Amino acid sequence: MKIFTTILIIIAIGLIAFNLTMLDYNKPFEGNSMVALIGVAASFCAVFILLIFKMSKKIEEKLKNQ
């Protein structure tokens, strides 16, 4: 499970980088730039959720070992 979540985090970071290249910084709220902004926001959310999941698994593992 640790490897799987790490792979998903790497994919989400890759999507952030890809969507940042698709942004038109002069008009960020028009056309494809809006789609790229939504993609960046969704990828950030995915990274944060996966990091919270990894932390909860570590806590669960520590409590189980006590």
Side-chain angles (χ1 to χ4, degrees), residues 4-15 46-47 50-51 54:
F4 182 67
T5 54
T6 304
I7 291 171
L8 288 178
I9 291 172
I10 291 169
I11 290 171
I13 291 171
L15 284 172
V47 169
L50 287 166
L51 289 175
K54 284 183 79 162

Side-chain angles (χ1 to χ4, degrees), residues 9-60:
I9 291 172
I10 291 169
I11 290 171
I13 291 171
L15 284 172
I16 291 170
F18 174 74
N19 282 319
L20 286 175
T21 63
M22 300 300 289
L23 276 175
D24 180 14
Y25 294 102
N26 294 326
K27 300 176 186 175
F29 298 110
E30 294 181 9
N32 287 338
S33 287
M34 190 63 179
V35 175
L37 275 176
I38 293 169
V40 168
S43 296
F44 271 122
C45 289
V47 169
F48 289 135
I49 289 170
L50 287 166
L51 289 175
I52 290 169
F53 179 72
K54 284 183 79 162
M55 289 174 55
S56 70
K57 286 296 179 183
K58 284 183 182 178
I59 292 170
E60 180 182 347

